[in-house]
Amino acid sequence: MRYGLIRIAPGLPSAVQQRRDLEATGCDVVLEERSTTLAGRRILMPLLQGLKDGDEVVVHSLECLDIELGELVRLLSRFHEAGVTLRLVGSGGVENLTPHGPMPRILAVLAEHEARHRKPASSRRRARATSSPLTAHQLKFARDMRRRGHSLRAIGLVFQLSPEEITALIGRDRDGLAAVTDEAAA
């Protein structure tokens, strides 16, 4: 089966152009990723990992996969082992990465390296300092939200922190010492 993948992002051609290129290759299924949310990744990556011998993935360029280099190496290695062809149909012409023959040595070496040095999956949230993830203003706002009856989960969603992290932060005063919780003070 031939799967086409369209991704809408800056630096890539319009969805209409990508669809035109994919339809010219005769894709059986065309998937369009409009947003690069984690939920979308949870759907797409298992689909790509589950392809079988004879399947083909058609994309404009590798940027359409929107994954880091290590993930890309593992995915290409998986494609090669499973017998999946990757076809790039971008402006530079059509290029096929076929699974026939031995795996390209550099791909095998990179895949082995990634397997040995695998880092935890990075989240897409912004990087924070480990000492204090919230500014004084944000901390005050979080405490005010808690006083107004918002759940720890809701507060955590606002600041992209877990409820446990919010509990630990709200329970501290400006000097980092344990303070009386807001519920006890009310």
Side-chain angles (χ1 to χ4, degrees), residues 34-88:
R34 295 181 182 270
S35 124
T36 57
T37 62
L38 190 54
R41 294 276 110 202
R42 287 185 184 137
I43 295 169
L44 180 63
M45 291 314 290
L47 172 73
L48 294 175
Q49 293 288 342
L51 297 177
K52 297 175 278 202
D53 187 23
D55 287 338
E56 188 172 317
V57 177
V58 183
V59 294
H60 177 269
S61 64
L62 290 177
E63 288 82 17
C64 291
L65 297 172
D66 188 34
I67 54 179
E68 294 178 8
L69 180 60
E71 290 177 279
L72 179 62
V73 167
R74 286 190 298 273
L75 181 64
L76 293 177
S77 177
R78 167 71 178 95
F79 279 3
H80 195 273
E81 291 167 1
V84 176
T85 299
L86 177 64
R87 181 181 286 191
L88 307 172

Side-chain angles (χ1 to χ4, degrees), residues 149-161:
H150 293 280
S151 70
L152 292 172
R153 184 175 189 284
I155 299 168
L157 287 173
V158 169
F159 296 107
Q160 297 182 350
L161 296 171

